[in-house]
Amino acid sequence: MVLKELKDLKENYPIILLSENVYFGETFEELLKSINGVKDKDEKIRLLEAAFRVNMKKAVEVYKMYSDIVNEETQEYIIKT
């Protein structure tokens, strides 16, 4: 599997968030959009943490653009982390 060539964001988002894939920003955006609707957020929170470790600059950039769609609890968690 060539990580940089993965394109299917919905199917491969955990792998894309853990790599320096060119679709990292778009995938991180999708994660932020979907995190509010999840009942068990543990997996999504772990992915958020991992994404910030992989590419902090891009993750912060995307988070700033979409912070208004993330609920307050998740925003507080991201800021603390």
Side-chain angles (χ1 to χ4, degrees):
M1 181 182 324
V2 180
L3 293 176
K4 291 184 179 194
E5 294 178 5
L6 289 175
K7 295 178 184 171
D8 186 349
L9 303 182
K10 300 234 186 267
E11 183 178 323
N12 299 308
Y13 78 94
I15 297 169
I16 293 171
L17 285 174
L18 299 176
S19 69
E20 289 290 335
N21 188 296
V22 296
Y23 299 102
F24 177 90
E26 293 172 51
T27 307
F28 192 75
E29 175 186 335
E30 288 299 318
L31 176 63
L32 290 176
K33 288 178 179 177
S34 69
I35 199 164
N36 292 333
V38 177
K39 291 181 182 175
D40 181 21
K41 289 191 207 180
D42 289 344
E43 180 182 329
K44 300 279 184 173
I45 293 295
R46 283 193 296 271
L47 279 171
L48 275 173
E49 291 173 354
F52 273 100
R53 287 186 195 115
V54 169
N55 192 337
M56 177 157 314
K57 183 179 179 180
K58 188 66 170 179
V60 168
E61 177 184 315
V62 173
Y63 171 72
K64 285 180 180 178
M65 292 186 329
Y66 293 96
S67 63
D68 59 325
I69 65 171
V70 178
N71 67 29
E72 190 174 318
E73 175 188 354
T74 304
Q75 284 184 13
E76 288 176 12
Y77 185 82
I78 290 171
I79 291 168
K80 287 179 187 177
T81 302

